[in-house]
Amino acid sequence: MDSSKLDPLKQIALDQFVIITLPSEKCKIVELKGNTSVSLGKFGAFHVNDIVGYPLGTKFEIYYDSETVETIGGDEPVKPNKKNKITKVNIGKVRIVEKDTKRDDGLDNVGNSHNNKELINLGSDIQKMTSDDIEALKKQSTSANEIISKIIESHGTFDKKTLFSQEKYLKRKKQKFDKQFVVNYLSANLLLQYLIDKNDIQRIMDMSEESIGMLLNLANIRPNGTYLCMDETGGLLIYFLLERMFGGDDTTGATGKIVVVHENEHPNFDLLKYSNYSEKFIAEHVIPISILEYFEPRTVEEVELDFKPLSREEVSELKSGAKNTYFRKLKWHKIHLQAIDVATKWVYDGLVVATTLHLPTLLPQLGKRVHGSRPIVCYSQFKEVLLELSHTLYDDLNYLAPTIIETKCRPYQSIRGRIHPLMTMKGGGGYLLWCHKVIPAPEPELIPTESVPNNDKGDTVEK
Amino acid sequence: MSQFTEYKDLIQEGDIALIWISRGNIKAVTIDSKETFNTRYGSFQHSDMIGKPYGSQIAIRTRGTGRFAFIHVLQPTPELWTLSLPHRTQIVYTPDSSYIMQRMNCSPHTRVIEAGTGSGSFSHAFARTVQQLYTYEFHPVRYEQAKEEFKKHGILDENVIITHRDVCEDGFTIKPTDTTSAQFSEEEITSGMKQLNATAVFLDLPAPWDAIHHLDKVIATDEQVHVCCFSPCIEQVDKTIESLENNGWTQIEMVEIQGRQYESRRQMVRSMEDAMQRCRDIKRRKKEGIEKKQSLIEREENNNTTSTNTEHTQREPFTEKAKFNPFGKGIRVKEGDPGYKWKQVTKIESEIKSHTSYLTFAIKLVDKTRNETLVQECLNETK
C-alpha cells in the first residue's frame, strides 16, 4: 500500500463512498468530496475536510461556537423538496467522541423509583418546557447533553420513573438531540442494512445478512474461483461476492471472476456504483451475459461475419476518427468472442442464484457447466419455490443431496443484568437450497457368474 | 498447494477426498491406489477413483448379491469437512460460523485470532477466506492433532499459524520460544515477537473475560477491530459484556443464530369426493353382497323343492375384485408413486439444534487520530 495516500479500507478518504450512521440509527450514503460539506438534516452539518484521514468507524460530534456562520441546504439528497421547504442547516465543527460507552451518566444525579406506582400520566403537562423553549435552546446550538439535562430538570415526575424507563427516555431524547455520527466503510453488510432501513425489501428479495453470509460459505467462495451467478437484486449479491473475494481492494492480484447471467438486454448492477472498485476492475472480474447469449451462443463464424479485425498495417493506415471507431468495434468484438467462451468453454467453480425465474427449469440448465463436486446455492424469498426445485433436483442424478436451509439471527438487548431478546425483529430473510454437482456413473456390468439380482435399484440410493 | 484453497479437477494419488456415502455419513480418505474403501454395501478400489473428475459417482456390483451400490467422491470444502470431521470438541456449525465471518467482514484483508482451535472446524472456514489466521489451543494433545491436520490439509503452509497456549493466562503474543507452528523473520527474532495486527477476534473459551484484556497487545491500532465471543450461557454473556466495556470495546451486541434444515417430502392429495365415493362403494358392495346372498338363498330354497343336490348352497357368493381404492389402502404406497396425486411439502428435521451459543459482538478502534500532513497533501491535490 502506498503510504503517501490514505487507505480507503482503513481511513476516511476523498472520492470514496462511506455510510454515515446518525443518532437516530438511520444511515446515509455519502460520497466524500474535498472542500464540500455534508448535511445530516436536523442533526447538523460538517465540512468533509474535517473528517478526512481519521480511521473509518470514528465517532464524531458536531458542535457550534461563535465562529460558525456558514449554512448548507437541508437534507436534500435524501428527500428533495420535502414540503417544498428547504431549511438551512448550520455547518458546525467536529470533534472526536473519545468515550463511547453505552451506559448513561446523565442519570447519576437524579433519583429514581423502584416501581412506577406514583407515576400518573398527565401527558405533556408534566414537561414545564414548551416546544418553543426547546427550539430556542437548539437555536443557541447548545450541546445535546445540555438540552437533555434541561428537559429532565423541567420534567415534573422524572424521579418517579424507574431506572429502566429513565434510560429508555434518555435514549429517545438522545436520538432526537444528539449530534454524534459514525463514518463507516460501506461494507456489503451496511449496504444491505441501508436498503432494509429504506424498506427496499422487494428490490433485494428480502435477503438477510445471515442468509447471504451462509450462502457465501456454502458456495465456498474464494478469491480465485470462477463463479456463475444470477442476481436480481441490482448487484447487491455480486457486491457481497466481490467483498468476500477481494475485500474492497483492486490490487490483491486475485484472479476470481463472476459471470452474471441476466435476463434483460443490459445487466442491472446499479448498487455497484457505491462500491469502491474501479470500473476497470469491475469490467475485468464481473462478466455480464444475457440469458439468450448464454443458452444460445452465436458461433465464432457468425461473430466474425459481423466484424473482421484488421492487420496491424491496415490499422495504422486508418484516419484517427476511423481508428477510434475501429478500436471501439474491436472491443465489442472481443466481448462477443468472450461471451461464446463463457457459454461454451468455461467450467464453473460454483453456481449462486438469486432470481425469480422458474427454478426447476432454469437450474438444471445453469448447472450443466458447473464442475463436479462444486457447490450450488440458490436463494429464494419463498420456501415453496425451493421445495419444487429440490424435488426436481432429487430426480436428477447430476445433483447430490439438495437441502433446504433457513437461518435466522435473533438480536438481544445487550445490557448487563437486562439481557433479553428484542421485542420485535425482522421477519423474512429468505431460504437457501444447497447441493453439489456430481457426475453419475454408468451402471456397472453384471458380474456374469452371479445370479441375476432381483433388486436392481440398489440399497444405497440415498440422496 | 492446499486441497482446501485450490480447485482441483481430477482425483489424484495422495489427495484428501471426502467420500459421500449418505447424508450424515461422509468419510475423509487419502487416495492411495493400493487401498480400498469398504462400506457395508461393498468395497470400492481407490484405483477406480484416480483420474476421474471430482464429483464422480463410483458404482460397483457387490459380489454376494450382485446389487448396485455407489458412492460419490468429493473435494473437501470447509463446510463438507464440518459435516465429516472427527469431533475432538463441540464444534461451531455453519449457520453460526458463516454469520460470524460475514458480520466481521472477513475478506482477504482480515487477520483473525481464534481461541481455541478445538476440532478445527471453524479454522478451515477462516483459512479459506482470510489473509492470516492465528489459532490457539491450550490442550497439548488437541494442539498436536490440529497442527498435524492443518499440515496435511496444506493450510499450515499457507495462512494458518497454530500456537499451544492458554490465552487466558498468557495472552496472545507469539514469541520464538513458544510451542508454535510460526516461522520468524530476522526482524521478529530481534523484536522477540510476531506482529499480529489482528483485525478480527473469535473467542470460543469458557471464560473470555480472562482473555479480552490481553487483546490490546495484538490487535491492529489503526483500523477497526471486530470481536465475537461464543458462549452457551447467558451468565457468560453478562460477564463478557462487562469485560468488553471495561476494555474500551463499543457497539456491543449479542445475538443468537437459529439454523434450520427442511426435508422435502410429499403428501398424498386425498379429495373429499374420493373419500365419499369410497364410502359409497363400500356401502354398495355391502348391499350387493347381501342382496346376492339373499337372491342365492332364495334361488337355492326354490331349487331345494325340486332337487336334493345341496352342493350349490356351499358356494361363496361372487365378489368383484376391483374395489374403489383411490388412496391405496392396504397396499404399501411409496411416497411420490405416480399412480397417485401428491402435494409437495417440507418437514423440519426431527431434531433441531435449538441453541448452540450466544454470539457477543463488539468493535474497538484504538487510535482515533489522523496524519495532518498526509491529509493536507491529499486536500491540496483536490485543488
Side-chain angles (χ1 to χ4, degrees):
Chain A
M1 193 60 60
D2 187 354
S3 64
S4 71
K5 276 210 171 102
L6 293 169
D7 179 354
L9 297 176
K10 292 180 179 178
Q11 289 141 351
I12 302 170
L14 292 174
D15 307 315
Q16 175 195 21
F17 280 102
V18 293
I19 185 158
I20 296 178
T21 313
L22 305 173
S24 56
E25 284 169 8
K26 289 213 168 60
C27 290
K28 183 173 172 157
I29 295 175
V30 175
E31 188 179 15
L32 298 177
K33 292 280 176 200
N35 306 323
T36 65
S37 52
V38 172
S39 164
L40 303 178
K42 67 174 175 182
F43 304 110
F46 62 89
H47 289 291
V48 169
N49 294 5
D50 289 344
I51 64 161
V52 164
Y54 286 105
L56 287 156
T58 303
K59 192 176 208 174
F60 298 96
E61 182 170 28
I62 299 175
Y63 70 98
Y64 296 91
D65 55 27
S66 51
E67 293 165 42
T68 52
V69 283
E70 264 182 288
T71 57
I72 176 177
D75 205 3
E76 71 270 293
V78 178
K79 274 179 192 152
N81 287 329
K82 192 185 171 188
K83 292 178 200 159
N84 287 329
K85 189 180 83 183
I86 297 170
T87 48
K88 291 282 179 193
V89 180
N90 289 333
I91 303 173
K93 296 180 175 171
V94 295
R95 59 181 163 229
I96 310 290
V97 180
E98 273 302 335
K99 207 167 122 247
D100 180 24
T101 50
K102 273 207 158 164
R103 247 174 297 154
D104 292 308
D105 314 320
L107 297 173
D108 290 349
N109 305 322
V110 280
N112 57 61
S113 172
H114 285 298
N115 55 48
N116 57 7
K117 76 176 179 212
E118 286 173 70
L119 199 63
I120 307 150
N121 190 359
L122 295 174
S124 56
D125 292 349
I126 209 74
Q127 177 58 258
K128 293 180 195 75
M129 269 163 82
T130 64
S131 54
D132 288 342
D133 295 341
I134 296 171
E135 280 307 311
L137 268 181
K138 277 165 77 180
K139 286 238 170 62
Q140 288 169 32
S141 297
T142 329
S143 85
N145 279 343
E146 282 172 54
I147 299 178
I148 295 167
S149 36
K150 285 229 170 69
I151 292 174
I152 289 174
E153 267 171 42
S154 335
H155 191 292
T157 55
F158 192 77
D159 58 339
K160 303 286 189 298
K161 286 176 184 280
T162 62
L163 188 63
F164 298 94
S165 72
Q166 283 179 354
E167 281 186 353
K168 275 189 199 154
Y169 184 87
L170 212 63
K171 194 181 165 201
R172 270 205 314 276
K173 294 298 163 206
K174 278 204 163 167
Q175 289 189 348
K176 211 167 162 186
F177 298 112
D178 243 359
K179 293 185 173 64
Q180 296 183 349
F181 65 96
V182 183
V183 181
N184 274 312
Y185 174 72
L186 183 54
S187 64
N189 292 337
L190 288 177
L191 180 58
L192 172 68
Q193 195 54 53
Y194 172 78
L195 294 164
I196 290 173
D197 289 345
K198 260 182 70 185
N199 240 335
D200 257 353
I201 304 293
Q202 216 45 50
R203 177 183 185 186
I204 55 167
M205 298 175 78
D206 201 16
M207 279 185 185
S208 64
E209 183 178 346
E210 56 271 27
S211 290
I212 307 190
M214 193 149 171
L215 173 146
L216 295 174
N217 272 33
L218 291 179
N220 193 29
I221 300 299
R222 299 172 180 172
N224 292 322
T226 307
Y227 304 105
L228 188 60
C229 175
M230 278 193 88
D231 176 9
E232 223 172 277
T233 63
L236 182 69
L237 180 59
I238 298 167
Y239 190 41
F240 269 92
L241 284 159
L242 287 173
E243 288 292 275
R244 184 57 72 91
M245 292 163 77
F246 308 106
D249 187 354
D250 282 14
T251 62
T252 57
T255 56
K257 284 183 169 42
I258 310 169
V259 169
V260 186
V261 180
H262 58 89
E263 51 175 306
N264 296 312
E265 205 180 333
H266 300 288
N268 173 9
F269 302 154
D270 257 12
L271 293 169
L272 288 189
K273 70 174 180 237
Y274 294 128
S275 82
N276 292 306
Y277 300 102
S278 68
E279 260 174 54
K280 183 171 169 283
F281 180 86
I282 291 176
E284 215 169 288
H285 295 273
V286 181
I287 299 157
I289 181 168
S290 85
I291 194 162
L292 190 63
E293 278 179 293
Y294 186 81
F295 287 116
E296 287 178 10
R298 295 199 286 168
T299 62
V300 176
E301 293 75 39
E302 282 172 329
V303 170
E304 281 176 350
L305 220 71
D306 283 358
F307 180 84
K308 262 261 181 288
L310 303 172
S311 70
R312 190 173 292 207
E313 294 78 45
E314 287 171 307
V315 173
S316 61
E317 279 167 22
L318 291 172
K319 291 197 180 98
S320 70
K323 219 179 228 171
N324 282 343
T325 321
Y326 172 79
F327 280 117
R328 211 180 55 238
K329 280 189 177 161
L330 183 69
K331 190 184 143 203
W332 276 106
H333 180 69
K334 282 185 179 154
I335 289 173
H336 290 313
L337 285 178
Q338 188 190 39
I340 295 171
D341 284 354
V342 161
T344 61
K345 292 210 185 103
W346 288 20
V347 175
Y348 296 97
D349 296 318
L351 171 60
V352 173
V353 173
T355 174
T356 52
L357 287 178
H358 185 240
L359 296 170
T361 41
L362 172 75
L363 215 80
Q365 294 302 319
L366 282 176
K368 282 189 174 152
R369 304 209 56 80
V370 177
H371 191 285
S373 189
R374 308 293 188 248
I376 293 172
V377 188
C378 197
Y379 171 86
S380 173
Q381 186 177 358
F382 306 111
K383 191 167 63 184
E384 292 73 13
V385 173
L386 296 182
L387 171 63
E388 195 188 349
L389 174 63
S390 85
H391 278 296
T392 306
L393 297 182
Y394 255 101
D395 297 336
D396 188 331
L397 295 176
N398 292 290
Y399 302 94
L400 180 65
T403 308
I404 299 172
I405 296 168
E406 178 187 14
T407 178
K408 254 191 141 353
C409 172
R410 182 180 214 193
Y412 279 65
Q413 168 172 298
S414 311
I415 304 170
R416 293 196 61 211
R418 263 172 269 168
I419 297 172
H420 64 71
L422 293 185
M423 301 289 183
T424 54
M425 62 189 262
K426 280 263 174 301
Y431 300 84
L432 301 171
L433 181 137
W434 181 42
C435 64
H436 285 83
K437 178 76 186 296
V438 287
I439 304 153
E443 202 165 315
E445 300 271 316
L446 281 173
I447 300 162
T449 50
E450 301 291 336
S451 59
V452 179
N454 47 12
N455 178 7
D456 231 25
K457 264 287 174 202
D459 48 3
T460 58
V461 188
E462 199 180 329
K463 297 229 293 182
Chain B
M1 187 178 96
S2 157
Q3 300 261 313
F4 278 83
T5 54
E6 294 293 332
Y7 291 104
K8 288 204 70 177
D9 178 21
L10 303 178
I11 304 162
Q12 288 172 310
E13 181 85 20
D15 281 2
I16 294 154
L18 291 179
I19 296 194
W20 178 291
I21 302 152
S22 66
R23 263 181 219 274
N25 192 2
I26 307 165
K27 293 270 184 309
V29 296
T30 305
I31 300 295
D32 177 348
S33 54
K34 293 184 284 300
E35 288 287 323
T36 46
F37 180 75
N38 296 308
T39 70
R40 62 193 176 99
Y41 310 110
S43 301
F44 297 83
Q45 309 284 339
H46 286 197
S47 53
D48 287 347
M49 307 171 192
I50 293 171
K52 290 205 169 76
Y54 271 102
S56 288
Q57 188 185 45
I58 308 294
I60 52 161
R61 291 253 177 216
T62 57
R63 283 226 163 262
T65 60
R67 280 183 180 175
F68 183 28
F70 56 74
I71 52 168
H72 286 95
V73 186
L74 303 178
Q75 193 189 340
T77 68
E79 285 64 38
L80 288 173
W81 178 250
T82 299
L83 297 177
S84 74
L85 64 84
H87 281 213
R88 292 185 284 268
T89 56
Q90 180 63 256
I91 66 167
V92 183
Y93 287 97
T94 301
D96 282 315
S97 60
S98 63
Y99 180 74
I100 294 164
M101 285 179 64
Q102 188 55 47
R103 172 131 180 184
M104 301 206 297
N105 266 335
C106 285
S107 77
H109 277 287
T110 318
R111 291 174 300 278
V112 183
I113 282 176
E114 177 197 37
T117 312
S119 302
S121 154
F122 204 170
S123 314
H124 283 82
F126 273 132
R128 164 187 53 205
T129 300
V130 303
Q131 182 186 345
Q132 182 68 50
L133 172 68
Y134 304 98
T135 184
Y136 300 81
E137 176 58 51
F138 88 111
H139 190 284
V141 178
R142 285 207 294 268
Y143 164 75
E144 287 298 336
Q145 285 173 335
K147 194 175 84 175
E148 276 314 301
E149 186 181 285
F150 295 161
K151 199 169 177 182
K152 214 170 121 190
H153 293 176
I155 55 177
L156 201 63
D157 301 326
E158 292 209 346
N159 60 351
V160 178
I161 288 175
I162 182 167
T163 304
H164 176 229
R165 174 73 55 80
D166 178 351
V167 294
C168 295
E169 278 295 314
D170 304 315
F172 299 88
T173 46
I174 306 173
K175 297 183 281 299
T177 50
D178 288 331
T179 310
T180 173
S181 71
Q183 310 279 317
F184 294 86
S185 65
E186 283 295 326
E187 203 182 320
E188 286 164 344
I189 291 168
T190 322
S191 71
M193 63 168 91
K194 263 206 150 353
Q195 277 303 319
L196 307 191
N197 278 324
T199 55
V201 180
F202 175 66
L203 299 179
D204 180 3
L205 303 166
W209 49 88
D210 287 332
I212 287 167
H213 66 277
H214 292 302
L215 285 171
D216 286 348
K217 282 188 186 155
V218 288
I219 57 173
T221 54
D222 61 343
E223 60 181 304
Q224 272 191 320
V225 180
H226 293 261
V227 68
C228 172
C229 302
F230 189 79
S231 312
C233 305
I234 205 95
E235 291 79 7
Q236 290 169 301
V237 174
D238 194 76
K239 288 187 79 168
T240 301
I241 294 175
E242 178 184 30
S243 170
L244 288 170
E245 282 177 347
N246 292 341
N247 287 283
W249 293 82
T250 61
Q251 298 174 58
I252 299 166
E253 189 190 32
M254 185 268 272
V255 305
E256 206 184 359
I257 296 294
Q258 172 88 74
R260 283 185 177 165
Q261 278 195 22
Y262 296 91
E263 246 179 83
S264 304
R265 298 279 299 270
R266 291 181 174 96
Q267 191 189 48
M268 194 188 286
V269 178
R270 308 193 307 121
S271 77
M272 180 185 105
E273 187 45 49
D274 278 350
M276 285 164 64
Q277 186 57 36
R278 192 172 152 267
C279 286
R280 284 189 205 109
D281 189 55
I282 291 168
K283 210 168 159 187
R284 179 182 57 83
R285 295 161 59 82
K286 213 171 182 177
K287 204 170 145 202
E288 281 176 4
I290 291 163
E291 277 167 5
K292 264 184 198 152
K293 239 179 208 160
Q294 271 178 347
S295 66
L296 207 70
I297 290 163
E298 275 167 29
R299 224 185 307 138
E300 274 161 6
E301 275 173 357
N302 291 343
N303 287 351
N304 262 350
T305 55
T306 53
S307 166
T308 48
N309 193 347
T310 55
E311 256 179 64
H312 276 286
T313 55
Q314 301 303 314
R315 262 190 64 183
E316 280 290 304
F318 170 76
T319 49
E320 47 178 340
K321 275 278 181 283
K323 274 199 244 171
F324 181 68
N325 191 3
F327 311 138
K329 285 233 186 270
I331 325 166
R332 269 189 68 177
V333 178
K334 225 181 125 209
E335 204 174 297
D337 184 329
Y340 301 87
K341 215 183 146 196
W342 300 90
K343 167 91 185 153
Q344 297 181 344
V345 290
T346 52
K347 180 185 176 295
I348 202 149
E349 316 149 88
S350 51
E351 194 178 291
I352 53 175
K353 289 187 185 69
S354 45
H355 177 66
T356 52
S357 271
Y358 295 113
L359 315 180
T360 310
F361 291 94
I363 292 176
K364 186 163 183 172
L365 179 55
V366 178
D367 184 1
K368 295 176 192 165
T369 60
R370 66 176 178 182
N371 180 339
E372 294 292 345
T373 48
L374 182 58
V375 168
Q376 258 325 308
E377 278 170 34
C378 289
L379 290 173
N380 290 340
E381 269 175 45
T382 60
K383 342 164 246 310

